[in-house]
């Protein structure tokens, strides 16, 4: 396979291989076009890809029409004492999942203090974990020791599936619902290969490579810092300097100093800052073995195209070659790099991209590992939001799979001027203690906080206009339980891990089902119970019904009166 980089149009760059073209441009999101159809980039391929993204089912794996499920990691699971545990997904296979506690949040009524909130620990649904242990997955003993010290003893399903596949050096796309442990699903196999906790067999090779061996890219500073803390936790205090954050909003020269002084093996950052420091020649990633794009569907969106292009081109590039030289061209320069793409929502465009960048790329989900080549282009929807009459297409399975199984979904209607009151009544009725309320814009956040505070409910706002320090302080205080409600915008919709969050509220409706899934995923983390309530105007109720169809989950109409949630008679859920 040969890769060509070319200027094909003003502001449009194309990476073309014998199988595919990767197009980046001002008016084009990243797209992979199959060359057999690409005689002119081509309309058929273009339309195919367009159909996927316009289908109103951005959530996606639903549309992938997986042809064969090769269970690469079909290991005999060793049952634990007490017999094998049902999977978290067993409900969809007709097996009732183990209940942790009643889904009726109201039924657990108690006299909890209103504010400041006393945080109670939410229980983790143990069914989430498959039967295997970290030992079974072949992680090195030093790493397992560290995990145990941090109280991590069993892998989640997606970790059980991902770790062996990444260890076999496949390029992977990891898709699993929010809060299912995807971060460790890629960090653990990486830390098995690099750094102080790696496999004994690799110790001898330690000095052959130098410099940064893994680059993790995340779309927001908050998510970047969260990943850094996860790596630091595993490396331990003595070695935590081996991970360096390169997020925007922080002092760049201090980051560059730290790179020089600490010689990290892993950097985690946002696309802009990573590419900025790389362009300045201060970030040497030529020997990099792993490139991770966390929340890949967002990273490959139009907004990040230039920075992502640079990162994809430079990370894992072997020293001594230039973009135009080398017998095998740019692809060979990347041949050392393992690319790991991660999200709860994987559109087909990501599958296309992964096929062209990867070596034997596979799609890893909690229960299956599927070669990407076996995934065909999804059929288009009949019209926007109207699913194909084929029953396989009528329920968006991918959307279902992006949502934690332990969530309850509701919507209620309210006049715009009464939404904050409805929000307050909803929190009381559900006795929620740690609440994230989403809006679509930044400006009204302050007003909502003001109104909640005026009614005695501790609330704080979080958005991108706040400085880095202010953002991390807000998050720290919210996580510590100093505020009951975090009022925020899309900034917090992806990746944010506040395990105790038991209620997500949409004060403005999300723009589509992908956004709904990521917002909803801030609660119900790791099998915990959680509720999502969307508060909309009467005229918007049809959007909720449409979303319910696309997501394939019951989103029940309700209202909140006399301190109770009243769930209305369910309408038909298709
Ligand atoms: N094996 C494990 N045992 C116990 N806790 C775990 C395990 N793996 C992950 N966790 C915890 O589960 C929580 C959710 O993990 P993580 O943030 O990686 O989920 P995610 O799938 O990446 O979610 P999202 O899609 O929202 O980014 C975190 O608090 C993490 O520390």
């Amino acid at each position: 396979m040969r890769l060509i980089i070319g200027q094909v149009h003003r502001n449009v760059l194309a990476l073309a291989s014998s199988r595919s073209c990767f197009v980046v441009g001002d008016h084009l999101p990243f797209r992979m076009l199959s060359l057999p159809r690409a005689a002119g980039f081509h309309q058929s391929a273009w339309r195919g890809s367009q159909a996927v993204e316009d289908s109103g089912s951005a959530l996606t794996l639903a549309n992938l029409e997986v042809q064969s499920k090769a269970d690469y990691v079909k290991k005999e699971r060793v049952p634990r004492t007490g017999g094998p545990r049902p999977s978290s997904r067993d409900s969809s296979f007709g097996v009732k999942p183990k209940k942790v506690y009643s889904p009726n949040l109201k039924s657990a009524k108690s006299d909890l203090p209103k504010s400041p909130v006393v945080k109670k620990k939410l229980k983790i649904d143990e069914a989430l974990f498959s039967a295997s242990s970290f030992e079974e997955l072949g992680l090195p003993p030093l790493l397992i020791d560290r995990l145990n010290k941090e109280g991590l003893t069993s892998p989640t399903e997606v970790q059980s599936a991902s770790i062996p596949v990444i260890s076999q050096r496949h390029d992977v796309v990891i898709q699993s619902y929010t809060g299912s442990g995807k971060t460790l699903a890629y960090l653990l196999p990486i830390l098995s290969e690099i750094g102080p906790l790696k496999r004994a067999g690799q110790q001898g090779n330690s000095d052959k490579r130098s410099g940064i061996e893994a680059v993790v890219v995340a779309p927001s500073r908050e998510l970047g810092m969260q990943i850094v803390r996860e790596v630091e936790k595993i490396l331990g205090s003595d070695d935590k300097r081996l991970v360096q954050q390169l997020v925007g909003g922080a002092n760049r020269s201090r980051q560059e100093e730290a790179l020089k002084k600490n010689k990290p093996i892993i950097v985690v950052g946002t696309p802009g800052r990573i590419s900025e420091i790389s362009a300045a020649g201060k970030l040497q990633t030529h020997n990099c073995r792993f490139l991770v794009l966390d929340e890949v569907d967002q990273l490959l969106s139009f907004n990040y195209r230039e920075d992502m292009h640079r990162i994809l081109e430079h990370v894992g590039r072997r020293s001594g070659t230039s973009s135009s030289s080398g017998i095998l061209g740019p692809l060979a320069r990347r041949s050392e790099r393992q690319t790991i793409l991660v999200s709860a929502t994987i559109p087909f465009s990501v599958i296309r991209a992964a096929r062209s960048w990867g070596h034997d790329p596979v799609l890893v989900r909690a229960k299956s590992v599927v070669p990407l080549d076996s995934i065909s282009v999804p059929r288009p929807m009949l019209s926007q939001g109207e699913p194909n009459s084929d029953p396989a297409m009528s329920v968006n399975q991918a959307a279902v799979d992006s949502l934690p199984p332990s969530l309850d979904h509701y919507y209620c209607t309210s006049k715009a001027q009464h939404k904050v009151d409805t929000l307050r009544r909803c929190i009381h009725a559900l006795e929620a203690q740690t609440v994230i309320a989403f809006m679509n814009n930044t400006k009204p956040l302050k007003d909502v906080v003001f109104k909640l505070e005026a009614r005695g409910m501790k609330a704080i706002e979080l958005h991108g206009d706040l400085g880095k320090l202010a953002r991390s302080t807000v998050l720290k205080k919210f996580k510590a339980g100093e505020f009951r409600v975090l009022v925020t915008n899309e900034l917090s919709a992806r990746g944010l891990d506040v395990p105790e969050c038991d209620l997500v509220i949409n004060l403005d409706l999300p723009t589509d089902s992908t956004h709904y899934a990521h917002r909803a995923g801030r609660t119900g983390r790791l099998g915990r119970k959680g509720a999502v309530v969307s508060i909309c105007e009467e005229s918007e109720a049809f959007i909720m019904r449409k979303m319910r169809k696309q997501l394939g989950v019951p989103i029940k109409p309700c209202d909140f009166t006399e301190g109770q949630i009243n769930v209305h008679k369910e309408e038909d859920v298709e």
Side-chain angles (χ1 to χ4, degrees):
M1 185 188 293
R2 191 169 143 70
L3 200 81
I4 308 152
I5 309 173
Q7 186 82 27
V8 296
H9 189 273
R10 194 170 66 86
N11 296 336
V12 177
L13 274 176
L15 301 185
S17 76
S18 57
R19 278 199 328 205
S20 48
C21 302
F22 171 44
V23 184
V24 188
D26 269 0
H27 306 288
L28 308 172
F30 281 15
R31 287 181 195 281
M32 286 304 315
L33 307 178
S34 279
L35 273 190
R37 278 181 263 155
F41 265 1
H42 282 120
Q43 300 186 357
S44 59
W46 180 267
R47 271 199 301 272
S49 132
Q50 196 78 29
V52 175
E53 299 187 349
D54 289 348
S55 64
S57 57
L59 280 182
T60 81
L61 281 174
N63 290 336
L64 298 183
E65 294 176 44
V66 171
Q67 286 172 336
S68 70
K69 287 196 174 182
D71 268 358
Y72 273 41
V73 282
K74 220 180 201 173
K75 281 203 306 181
E76 277 291 315
R77 302 267 191 226
V78 180
R80 300 183 198 190
T81 41
R85 287 175 176 150
S87 139
S88 58
R89 289 285 177 200
D90 278 350
S91 52
S92 42
F93 297 101
V95 181
K96 230 180 169 195
K98 201 156 78 182
K99 267 198 184 162
V100 176
Y101 60 81
S102 163
N104 181 0
L105 297 179
K106 179 68 190 171
S107 66
K109 196 169 175 106
S110 67
D111 290 320
L112 291 166
K114 296 280 185 273
S115 105
V117 175
V118 175
K119 302 191 78 174
K120 81 176 173 205
K121 283 229 176 277
L122 291 177
K123 260 182 152 182
I124 297 173
D125 181 357
E126 291 193 10
L128 186 75
F129 298 91
S130 62
S132 58
S133 64
F134 287 121
E135 282 85 353
E136 277 179 71
L137 296 173
L139 294 182
L142 284 175
L143 181 53
I144 293 172
D145 279 355
R146 288 285 328 140
L147 290 173
N148 290 341
K149 279 191 187 121
E150 292 300 328
L152 302 166
T153 49
S154 320
T156 64
E157 282 185 340
V158 71
Q159 291 161 6
S160 300
S162 306
I163 291 169
V165 182
I166 297 175
S167 300
Q168 286 162 18
R169 300 184 192 267
H170 281 280
D171 286 328
V172 297
V173 178
I174 302 176
Q175 192 265 334
S176 173
Y177 57 91
T178 51
S180 57
K182 293 187 289 296
T183 315
L184 289 183
Y186 63 77
L187 284 181
L188 295 183
I190 292 176
L191 291 171
S192 299
E193 302 278 327
I194 65 172
L197 305 172
K198 69 185 169 192
R199 264 183 210 99
Q202 253 111 38
Q203 301 290 350
N205 298 334
S206 57
D207 294 326
K208 284 197 186 144
R209 287 180 181 273
S210 58
I212 291 154
E213 296 192 61
V215 172
V216 181
V217 191
S220 73
R221 299 168 197 177
E222 282 69 23
L223 182 53
M225 291 308 297
Q226 198 173 283
I227 298 166
V228 168
R229 281 191 293 273
E230 202 88 354
V231 183
E232 286 178 345
K233 193 167 82 179
I234 299 168
L235 288 176
S237 50
D238 290 348
D239 291 311
K240 68 180 192 186
R241 66 184 170 79
L242 294 177
V243 55
Q244 173 64 42
Q245 59 88 0
L246 297 180
V247 301
N251 185 305
R252 182 177 142 186
S253 40
R254 235 179 270 155
Q255 290 171 340
E256 290 174 356
E257 280 295 303
L259 284 173
K260 236 200 278 174
K261 186 166 152 233
N262 296 335
K263 307 216 176 319
I265 53 164
I266 303 183
V267 296
V268 182
T270 47
R273 183 53 57 90
I274 291 178
S275 82
E276 209 180 355
I277 297 185
S278 160
K282 305 272 174 62
L283 182 68
Q284 303 306 326
T285 54
H286 295 170
N287 287 325
C288 197
R289 296 168 62 185
F290 300 96
L291 173 64
V292 181
L293 309 187
D294 199 336
E295 306 294 347
V296 60
D297 50 330
Q298 190 175 0
L299 288 173
L300 296 190
S301 72
F302 182 68
N303 292 349
Y304 298 101
R305 69 197 186 286
E306 280 165 21
D307 295 329
M308 287 310 303
H309 189 214
R310 179 174 182 93
I311 290 167
L312 285 160
E313 256 306 282
H314 282 76
V315 170
R317 169 181 160 168
R318 279 166 154 181
S319 47
T321 55
S322 71
S323 53
S324 55
S325 69
I327 296 169
L328 296 172
L331 187 68
R333 286 190 284 106
R334 284 207 295 270
S335 65
E336 291 285 288
R337 176 186 90 195
Q338 221 175 317
T339 308
I340 302 170
L341 310 177
V342 185
S343 183
T345 51
I346 300 286
F348 193 73
S349 52
V350 168
I351 300 288
R352 285 181 201 267
R355 272 182 189 159
S356 77
W357 302 334
H359 306 293
D360 304 325
V362 292
L363 171 66
V364 179
R365 305 176 78 191
K367 284 189 171 296
S368 63
V369 178
V370 181
L372 291 193
D373 283 339
S374 73
I375 299 170
S376 62
V377 180
R379 276 166 290 166
M381 304 294 257
L382 294 176
S383 65
Q384 185 76 20
E386 275 303 316
N388 192 311
S389 58
D390 178 349
M393 296 287 285
S394 64
V395 171
N396 191 330
Q397 189 58 41
V400 177
D401 287 345
S402 68
L403 288 165
S406 51
L407 288 189
D408 293 319
H409 302 261
Y410 305 99
Y411 75 93
C412 66
T413 56
S414 165
K415 288 202 167 117
Q417 65 269 31
H418 299 148
K419 276 192 175 183
V420 180
D421 262 339
T422 310
L423 162 69
R424 210 170 44 88
R425 278 187 280 119
C426 166
I427 292 171
H428 284 314
L430 297 179
E431 294 183 341
Q433 300 171 59
T434 309
V435 181
I436 303 182
F438 285 100
M439 301 189 78
N440 291 343
N441 300 305
T442 304
K443 247 186 165 176
L445 301 179
K446 195 179 282 306
D447 189 46
V448 172
V449 168
F450 180 78
K451 285 178 177 160
L452 288 173
E453 289 270 338
R455 289 160 177 79
M457 191 170 276
K458 295 273 282 170
I460 194 163
E461 61 183 309
L462 178 67
H463 51 80
D465 292 352
L466 297 175
K468 180 174 178 281
L469 189 64
R471 278 155 70 163
S472 63
T473 308
V474 166
L475 264 180
K476 218 184 263 174
K477 288 183 171 176
F478 179 62
K479 286 183 179 183
E482 286 183 41
F483 294 89
R484 191 172 186 177
V485 189
L486 182 75
V487 188
T488 186
N489 57 12
E490 222 52 44
L491 172 80
S492 311
R494 282 189 182 244
L496 190 69
D497 184 46
V498 183
E500 305 311 328
C501 174
D502 50 359
L503 175 63
V504 161
I505 303 229
N506 290 315
L507 269 179
D508 291 326
L509 294 188
T511 46
D512 58 27
S513 48
T514 300
H515 288 80
Y516 182 95
H518 285 281
R519 285 180 178 190
R522 296 318 99 210
T523 183
R525 312 281 295 166
L526 211 67
R528 294 171 178 91
K529 286 299 297 176
V532 187
V533 179
S534 301
I535 304 176
C536 61
E537 293 186 53
E538 191 71 54
S539 59
E540 297 171 315
F542 79 98
I543 300 174
M544 290 315 302
R545 291 192 284 269
K546 200 164 158 182
M547 228 171 253
R548 179 170 66 187
K549 258 189 204 172
Q550 290 177 347
L551 290 161
V553 292
I555 305 180
K556 300 169 197 155
C558 71
D559 65 52
F560 301 98
T561 43
E562 297 170 359
Q564 300 275 350
I565 176 168
N566 304 305
V567 180
H568 301 177
K569 191 173 167 294
E570 270 210 47
E571 297 154 50
D572 291 337
V573 179
E574 282 130 278

